[in-house]
Amino acid sequence: MSGTGDYILGTVGLLAVVLTMAIAGRTTRRAALPAWAGAPAVLADAVIAIGYLAVISEVLGLFGILDGVLLVSACLIVAGGAVRLEPMLIRAGSRVEHWGEAKGSDQRAAPSVSRLELGVAVVIALIVAAQWAGPTLLALDRGIYGGDSLWYHMPLAAHIAQSGSVTSLLYTDPLYLNWFYPQVSELIHAGGILLYGNDFLSPLLNMAWLGLALFAGWCIGRPYGSGATSLAAVAAVMAANLLVSRQPGNANNDVVAIALFLSAVALLVNTRWPGRSNESSGPPSGTLIVAGLAAGLALGTKLTVVPPVLALAVGVIWISGAGYRLRAAATWIGGMVVGGGYWYARNLIVSGNPFPWQDIGPVHHAEALQGRHPYAIVHYATDTDVWGKFFTPALHERLGELWPAYLALAVIGVLLVLWRGGRMEQMLGAVALLSAIAYLLTPLGASGPEGMPVGFRLNIRYLAPGLILALTLIAIPPFKTDREVWRLGSIQRAWRLGTLAVFAVLMVVSAGAIGAIDTDRIPGTAVIALALVGVPLGLVFLSRRGLAPVPLAGIGAVALIALAVGGRSVQDHYLDERYSSTAPDYPKTEQPAVELGQGLGAAYDWARGTQHLKIALSGTMGALFQYGLWGGNSNNDVRYVGEHGPRGSFNEIPSCPEWIGALNDGAYDYVITTPTYHQDDPAADTVPVQRGWISRSGNVQRVAGANLVDIWKITGPLDPLACAAPAGAPPSGGTPLPSVTGE
């Protein structure tokens, strides 16, 4: 576990990484976008800082030397170099700032925002932050239990931290190809593990990504004076069960990809774009680089944003104007490659296909998915029974009672900008429309047996990036004139206030954000909400009131120190209760309650006290919920026992001698056997065949386990010839087992 000294070192390292990346981001932004100021400049700073951290981690990982000390050292070197080279960067930036003869700032001016709208935006942000704080505090009470987080997000992060490499693949299971997923978010979780020696930061990280998403939402509406409305549009989806059920307190990365995608959009709409009558001036290269970086980071985070990001890339290149499209393509794609290109290049090298899940022309995918049947939503487009039994109830559950309003507003937003918007706005409308079409064609959108798309409910989140973009477009007033309206001021202000009210209603009524606030954890909720929203806004307010930088920095430092001091006791509590069956709110009704009762909970309890063990894992139930087996400090080496196929594929070992041979080859300390997982009926899981195999192999001792899960200590070489022994034979040095049929 972690002592006070380790916590202090980890916190100092975290502050060093954050501050140095902030310095490097700001310095680089001043070169790329020298005339930018205010919220869009801060957003660009943040995007560049995240890009620096991702690239530094990837470079260290390429050489297999990613660890906490080298990460902090590299960040210090990069920040120092950026400061030292700032004059040179600014001169270089000024030479490439524009293509053509455009002069002056390329940042769009913004109308003033009323105090009413600003106040409503702050309240909305605080409500969503408080709502998300509940699941975050729950995770700090018991550990991360989100399905995808246990399955591959956190194991991939722990593997990166443990190996120090981004080239070593962790084959998590024989069902999907998770090791080929882009891993920017896992890379950041790995950084937290390296700094603290445990995963204490992981339940907290998605709160930061929520803050970035809301801030990017504000920036999208800023040039139209509608920042409050666009922020509310983002908040209305973030507050819905669609995202709040699986993102806060977990390592699931939908919110990460959405925040980065929205950041790319926000940077584009805050840029003065050449009009049709000004084709002698091309798009500002600084914007293309930074926005392309944000889009690339999104692409390097999650596959579900591939359609909207690619559509955005095509759109940006198209509206760049004749004579500038080639340069725009080179600049934008360059930023995208820096942000997320590594993961697809790695896939190409390993499997011969940057997208190993599907064929690309004559290039075949690695293997067919072995999980649910990959049906697309269009497969059931005219099936009224499926709509009544599956689609409509799922939409109601995920978006609330007013789910038709979400979809209707998205359609209205797209139609309005296509009808009344400028080139940029029309392009964004087309991106949202293409994202929706891609969602309808996504193979896992309605996954499940024929006529039973049970995966639709969970995978509605694939629609989230395009849905949020479409909703933010509502913030753009469609009126060309701005005449006065009775009692409401101008017609544009009436539009802003009306749409702001609509999104506030969606958030409060349909998403139920206020009712979802965890009243049992009010003190912690208040701290998180104030840290995420209150402190930054307070510093901005004091800065605009003329407070000098030194006392402003002092106030910020005091706030950080207070959070760090309080964080120590939170970390102690977290590490004491993490994945313990005695933890408060231990899962007893929600997933993975069934699996924990089948014996996985006993395995978690055993693993809590282990470190630096090499553990073999069999059975897809264990694979899908494996992270609790990685130990208290996430440093056990857990490997699924399978056979490697062509182009990076991975499959179950079907026979006993080969499976026993693989255990011998792996030189494991322990073996954990779990059943084959029945995804749609977990209670139907049965005793795994591997229990009989390992029990007859000799040189093993059953040391723990319960029900369908067993933990075996390997004391010497296993005998593949023992596979033919009678079923129920006792393990060597262990306890006789009852006869198990079907082995």
Side-chain angles (χ1 to χ4, degrees), residues 578-595:
R578 175 184 176 276
Y579 298 122
S580 169
S581 58
T582 63
D585 296 303
Y586 183 73
K588 294 180 180 178
T589 56
E590 82 273 25
Q591 194 180 40
V594 171
E595 294 78 15

PDB file of all heavy atoms in Angstrom, residues 578-595:
ATOM      1  N   ARG A 578     -10.612  -0.882  -1.068  1.00  0.00           N
ATOM      2  CA  ARG A 578     -10.648  -1.156  -2.505  1.00  0.00           C
ATOM      3  C   ARG A 578     -10.804  -2.664  -2.775  1.00  0.00           C
ATOM      4  O   ARG A 578      -9.996  -3.469  -2.346  1.00  0.00           O
ATOM      5  CB  ARG A 578      -9.358  -0.612  -3.115  1.00  0.00           C
ATOM      6  CG  ARG A 578      -9.112  -0.888  -4.563  1.00  0.00           C
ATOM      7  CD  ARG A 578      -7.731  -0.327  -4.912  1.00  0.00           C
ATOM      8  NE  ARG A 578      -7.349  -0.613  -6.278  1.00  0.00           N
ATOM      9  CZ  ARG A 578      -6.779  -1.755  -6.663  1.00  0.00           C
ATOM     10  NH1 ARG A 578      -6.542  -2.704  -5.782  1.00  0.00           N
ATOM     11  NH2 ARG A 578      -6.445  -1.931  -7.929  1.00  0.00           N
ATOM     12  N   TYR A 579     -11.873  -3.042  -3.466  1.00  0.00           N
ATOM     13  CA  TYR A 579     -12.182  -4.424  -3.844  1.00  0.00           C
ATOM     14  C   TYR A 579     -12.264  -5.365  -2.641  1.00  0.00           C
ATOM     15  O   TYR A 579     -11.951  -6.554  -2.758  1.00  0.00           O
ATOM     16  CB  TYR A 579     -11.166  -4.949  -4.878  1.00  0.00           C
ATOM     17  CG  TYR A 579     -11.196  -4.173  -6.160  1.00  0.00           C
ATOM     18  CD1 TYR A 579     -10.045  -3.545  -6.647  1.00  0.00           C
ATOM     19  CD2 TYR A 579     -12.365  -4.026  -6.878  1.00  0.00           C
ATOM     20  CE1 TYR A 579     -10.078  -2.793  -7.815  1.00  0.00           C
ATOM     21  CE2 TYR A 579     -12.409  -3.286  -8.050  1.00  0.00           C
ATOM     22  CZ  TYR A 579     -11.260  -2.671  -8.509  1.00  0.00           C
ATOM     23  OH  TYR A 579     -11.303  -1.927  -9.658  1.00  0.00           O
ATOM     24  N   SER A 580     -12.657  -4.833  -1.511  1.00  0.00           N
ATOM     25  CA  SER A 580     -12.839  -5.652  -0.317  1.00  0.00           C
ATOM     26  C   SER A 580     -14.316  -5.980  -0.149  1.00  0.00           C
ATOM     27  O   SER A 580     -15.183  -5.112  -0.318  1.00  0.00           O
ATOM     28  CB  SER A 580     -12.331  -4.913   0.924  1.00  0.00           C
ATOM     29  OG  SER A 580     -12.724  -5.585   2.096  1.00  0.00           O
ATOM     30  N   SER A 581     -14.602  -7.224   0.238  1.00  0.00           N
ATOM     31  CA  SER A 581     -15.991  -7.618   0.448  1.00  0.00           C
ATOM     32  C   SER A 581     -16.584  -6.954   1.679  1.00  0.00           C
ATOM     33  O   SER A 581     -17.806  -7.012   1.889  1.00  0.00           O
ATOM     34  CB  SER A 581     -16.089  -9.138   0.590  1.00  0.00           C
ATOM     35  OG  SER A 581     -15.279  -9.592   1.666  1.00  0.00           O
ATOM     36  N   THR A 582     -15.752  -6.307   2.505  1.00  0.00           N
ATOM     37  CA  THR A 582     -16.250  -5.582   3.675  1.00  0.00           C
ATOM     38  C   THR A 582     -16.435  -4.092   3.407  1.00  0.00           C
ATOM     39  O   THR A 582     -16.800  -3.343   4.317  1.00  0.00           O
ATOM     40  CB  THR A 582     -15.284  -5.757   4.855  1.00  0.00           C
ATOM     41  OG1 THR A 582     -14.005  -5.183   4.515  1.00  0.00           O
ATOM     42  CG2 THR A 582     -15.092  -7.227   5.188  1.00  0.00           C
ATOM     43  N   ALA A 583     -16.185  -3.658   2.177  1.00  0.00           N
ATOM     44  CA  ALA A 583     -16.291  -2.230   1.849  1.00  0.00           C
ATOM     45  C   ALA A 583     -17.740  -1.774   1.915  1.00  0.00           C
ATOM     46  O   ALA A 583     -18.661  -2.546   1.625  1.00  0.00           O
ATOM     47  CB  ALA A 583     -15.735  -1.967   0.452  1.00  0.00           C
ATOM     48  N   PRO A 584     -17.950  -0.514   2.308  1.00  0.00           N
ATOM     49  CA  PRO A 584     -19.325   0.009   2.263  1.00  0.00           C
ATOM     50  C   PRO A 584     -19.831   0.023   0.814  1.00  0.00           C
ATOM     51  O   PRO A 584     -19.074   0.265  -0.111  1.00  0.00           O
ATOM     52  CB  PRO A 584     -19.176   1.432   2.812  1.00  0.00           C
ATOM     53  CG  PRO A 584     -17.735   1.781   2.613  1.00  0.00           C
ATOM     54  CD  PRO A 584     -16.978   0.493   2.759  1.00  0.00           C
ATOM     55  N   ASP A 585     -21.090  -0.278   0.660  1.00  0.00           N
ATOM     56  CA  ASP A 585     -21.705  -0.304  -0.678  1.00  0.00           C
ATOM     57  C   ASP A 585     -21.059  -1.336  -1.599  1.00  0.00           C
ATOM     58  O   ASP A 585     -20.981  -1.145  -2.817  1.00  0.00           O
ATOM     59  CB  ASP A 585     -21.648   1.082  -1.331  1.00  0.00           C
ATOM     60  CG  ASP A 585     -22.458   2.102  -0.567  1.00  0.00           C
ATOM     61  OD1 ASP A 585     -23.663   1.870  -0.389  1.00  0.00           O
ATOM     62  OD2 ASP A 585     -21.886   3.123  -0.149  1.00  0.00           O
ATOM     63  N   TYR A 586     -20.557  -2.409  -1.004  1.00  0.00           N
ATOM     64  CA  TYR A 586     -20.060  -3.519  -1.826  1.00  0.00           C
ATOM     65  C   TYR A 586     -21.172  -3.969  -2.766  1.00  0.00           C
ATOM     66  O   TYR A 586     -22.329  -4.099  -2.347  1.00  0.00           O
ATOM     67  CB  TYR A 586     -19.642  -4.661  -0.903  1.00  0.00           C
ATOM     68  CG  TYR A 586     -19.043  -5.868  -1.569  1.00  0.00           C
ATOM     69  CD1 TYR A 586     -17.756  -5.827  -2.092  1.00  0.00           C
ATOM     70  CD2 TYR A 586     -19.755  -7.065  -1.649  1.00  0.00           C
ATOM     71  CE1 TYR A 586     -17.187  -6.950  -2.680  1.00  0.00           C
ATOM     72  CE2 TYR A 586     -19.194  -8.191  -2.233  1.00  0.00           C
ATOM     73  CZ  TYR A 586     -17.911  -8.125  -2.758  1.00  0.00           C
ATOM     74  OH  TYR A 586     -17.345  -9.231  -3.344  1.00  0.00           O
ATOM     75  N   PRO A 587     -20.880  -4.188  -4.053  1.00  0.00           N
ATOM     76  CA  PRO A 587     -21.955  -4.498  -5.012  1.00  0.00           C
ATOM     77  C   PRO A 587     -22.727  -5.763  -4.632  1.00  0.00           C
ATOM     78  O   PRO A 587     -22.164  -6.851  -4.608  1.00  0.00           O
ATOM     79  CB  PRO A 587     -21.187  -4.692  -6.326  1.00  0.00           C
ATOM     80  CG  PRO A 587     -19.910  -3.958  -6.147  1.00  0.00           C
ATOM     81  CD  PRO A 587     -19.568  -4.093  -4.699  1.00  0.00           C
ATOM     82  N   LYS A 588     -23.988  -5.581  -4.316  1.00  0.00           N
ATOM     83  CA  LYS A 588     -24.835  -6.719  -3.958  1.00  0.00           C
ATOM     84  C   LYS A 588     -26.070  -6.835  -4.841  1.00  0.00           C
ATOM     85  O   LYS A 588     -26.724  -7.874  -4.862  1.00  0.00           O
ATOM     86  CB  LYS A 588     -25.259  -6.607  -2.499  1.00  0.00           C
ATOM     87  CG  LYS A 588     -24.096  -6.735  -1.519  1.00  0.00           C
ATOM     88  CD  LYS A 588     -24.558  -6.622  -0.075  1.00  0.00           C
ATOM     89  CE  LYS A 588     -23.379  -6.762   0.880  1.00  0.00           C
ATOM     90  NZ  LYS A 588     -23.787  -6.618   2.311  1.00  0.00           N
ATOM     91  N   THR A 589     -26.384  -5.752  -5.541  1.00  0.00           N
ATOM     92  CA  THR A 589     -27.557  -5.783  -6.418  1.00  0.00           C
ATOM     93  C   THR A 589     -27.194  -5.449  -7.857  1.00  0.00           C
ATOM     94  O   THR A 589     -27.794  -5.973  -8.787  1.00  0.00           O
ATOM     95  CB  THR A 589     -28.630  -4.799  -5.928  1.00  0.00           C
ATOM     96  OG1 THR A 589     -28.068  -3.478  -5.823  1.00  0.00           O
ATOM     97  CG2 THR A 589     -29.156  -5.228  -4.559  1.00  0.00           C
ATOM     98  N   GLU A 590     -26.210  -4.544  -8.071  1.00  0.00           N
ATOM     99  CA  GLU A 590     -25.835  -4.182  -9.433  1.00  0.00           C
ATOM    100  C   GLU A 590     -24.632  -5.000  -9.887  1.00  0.00           C
ATOM    101  O   GLU A 590     -23.923  -5.586  -9.075  1.00  0.00           O
ATOM    102  CB  GLU A 590     -25.542  -2.682  -9.537  1.00  0.00           C
ATOM    103  CG  GLU A 590     -24.152  -2.250  -9.092  1.00  0.00           C
ATOM    104  CD  GLU A 590     -24.031  -1.950  -7.614  1.00  0.00           C
ATOM    105  OE1 GLU A 590     -24.832  -2.493  -6.826  1.00  0.00           O
ATOM    106  OE2 GLU A 590     -23.124  -1.198  -7.240  1.00  0.00           O
ATOM    107  N   GLN A 591     -24.422  -5.035 -11.189  1.00  0.00           N
ATOM    108  CA  GLN A 591     -23.271  -5.760 -11.729  1.00  0.00           C
ATOM    109  C   GLN A 591     -21.991  -5.175 -11.140  1.00  0.00           C
ATOM    110  O   GLN A 591     -21.879  -3.955 -11.003  1.00  0.00           O
ATOM    111  CB  GLN A 591     -23.250  -5.641 -13.256  1.00  0.00           C
ATOM    112  CG  GLN A 591     -22.302  -6.624 -13.913  1.00  0.00           C
ATOM    113  CD  GLN A 591     -22.290  -6.493 -15.439  1.00  0.00           C
ATOM    114  OE1 GLN A 591     -22.323  -5.387 -15.965  1.00  0.00           O
ATOM    115  NE2 GLN A 591     -22.240  -7.600 -16.140  1.00  0.00           N
ATOM    116  N   PRO A 592     -21.040  -6.034 -10.731  1.00  0.00           N
ATOM    117  CA  PRO A 592     -20.947  -7.486 -10.918  1.00  0.00           C
ATOM    118  C   PRO A 592     -21.351  -8.306  -9.695  1.00  0.00           C
ATOM    119  O   PRO A 592     -20.616  -9.220  -9.282  1.00  0.00           O
ATOM    120  CB  PRO A 592     -19.461  -7.663 -11.215  1.00  0.00           C
ATOM    121  CG  PRO A 592     -18.787  -6.630 -10.350  1.00  0.00           C
ATOM    122  CD  PRO A 592     -19.739  -5.466 -10.281  1.00  0.00           C
ATOM    123  N   ALA A 593     -22.497  -8.015  -9.102  1.00  0.00           N
ATOM    124  CA  ALA A 593     -22.910  -8.722  -7.888  1.00  0.00           C
ATOM    125  C   ALA A 593     -22.995 -10.232  -8.109  1.00  0.00           C
ATOM    126  O   ALA A 593     -22.532 -11.022  -7.271  1.00  0.00           O
ATOM    127  CB  ALA A 593     -24.255  -8.175  -7.411  1.00  0.00           C
ATOM    128  N   VAL A 594     -23.583 -10.659  -9.233  1.00  0.00           N
ATOM    129  CA  VAL A 594     -23.715 -12.095  -9.499  1.00  0.00           C
ATOM    130  C   VAL A 594     -22.337 -12.740  -9.588  1.00  0.00           C
ATOM    131  O   VAL A 594     -22.079 -13.797  -8.987  1.00  0.00           O
ATOM    132  CB  VAL A 594     -24.516 -12.331 -10.788  1.00  0.00           C
ATOM    133  CG1 VAL A 594     -24.477 -13.803 -11.191  1.00  0.00           C
ATOM    134  CG2 VAL A 594     -25.947 -11.864 -10.614  1.00  0.00           C
ATOM    135  N   GLU A 595     -21.457 -12.103 -10.337  1.00  0.00           N
ATOM    136  CA  GLU A 595     -20.119 -12.666 -10.533  1.00  0.00           C
ATOM    137  C   GLU A 595     -19.324 -12.705  -9.228  1.00  0.00           C
ATOM    138  O   GLU A 595     -18.585 -13.661  -8.970  1.00  0.00           O
ATOM    139  CB  GLU A 595     -19.371 -11.850 -11.589  1.00  0.00           C
ATOM    140  CG  GLU A 595     -19.964 -11.923 -12.984  1.00  0.00           C
ATOM    141  CD  GLU A 595     -21.199 -11.057 -13.164  1.00  0.00           C
ATOM    142  OE1 GLU A 595     -21.446 -10.170 -12.306  1.00  0.00           O
ATOM    143  OE2 GLU A 595     -21.924 -11.244 -14.164  1.00  0.00           O
TER     144      GLU A 595
END
